[in-house]
Amino acid sequence: MTLVGVNAARDDPGRVPRPAVGYPFGGVIRFSPAQRAALSQAQQESVAACMAARGLRYEIPPPLPAVPEPDNPYGLLDEDEARNSGYSLSLHQGQDSQPKDLLKSVPATQRGRWKQALFGTTAHRKAVPLPGGGEIVFNTDGCVQRARTHLYGARWDLLQYTFQALSLQVTTAVERSGPVRAAHRQWAACMKGSGIRASTPQQSRAMVADELKRPAAGAPHRKEVARFELRVATQDARCQRTSALAPAIADAAAREERRILRTRADELHLLNNLKSAALSRIKGELP
């Protein structure tokens, strides 16, 4: 489906572009759709080899559709992209994103052994404490974990989970900061003036996602939702500009990241190196 802006006259061509705001810490724990697909395939092949070495068959599942993700966690939009593609939700409606149930192809008598070989045993369980509390637990002797270690390096999981938690700290602090909350109030008032009730850009995006999930038949409903998506996203982006939401978020995010990196800079450097090394291993598989 191609989305084309509906009744969306261009705003002032001399408008100031929004600041570039991405995921925390330069998106160190994120990958492009092509990178995710190549890394997943490499990991699956490593898992299959590990299972074969243990005398078990592992059927590599078909790849899931490569669905683009937002380029930031705050719901910030580029006005031209919003006008032409909305939130890019309707573009990918109907793609099957459910992973295959691999256990179905395993004989019932082998399933216990197969699962232990794949996911490991509690005798080799490792707990990773997370910044801010809590922990992630996984087994180190399973083929899945061994494949991850082979592909990403021995310290990847510890650092990845750490920076997932730290990234959440950043986004939470940003959303709670005074200037961002004030900008959100201006944004919400701007949206309300167009008949759209939402408190944050994430809520306006969720409105469209909910419409896409609503049971309805045929192309007319899809076109109706696509038009709704374009209208909401276009107004969302306009209101972000008039409320100066992006600059407020950029400032708050930069402050919080600087605070965290006073004690985490070395870990971030190592994580970036591990990411680069993993990508170099699958370079030949990238388009």
Side-chain angles (χ1 to χ4, degrees), residues 259-273:
R259 182 190 70 79
I260 290 172
L261 289 178
R262 290 188 194 117
T263 57
R264 300 280 187 174
D266 289 345
E267 291 170 289
L268 178 60
H269 179 70
L270 176 56
L271 185 57
N272 270 307
N273 286 343

Side-chain angles (χ1 to χ4, degrees), residues 72-102:
N72 66 87
Y74 306 105
L76 297 176
L77 295 170
D78 175 84
E79 286 193 70
D80 291 333
E81 290 180 6
R83 184 182 296 111
N84 292 319
S85 303
Y87 300 108
S88 294
L89 296 175
S90 298
L91 293 171
H92 303 285
Q93 184 185 17
Q95 290 188 351
D96 183 11
S97 60
Q98 294 300 315
K100 182 179 178 180
D101 184 357
L102 300 178

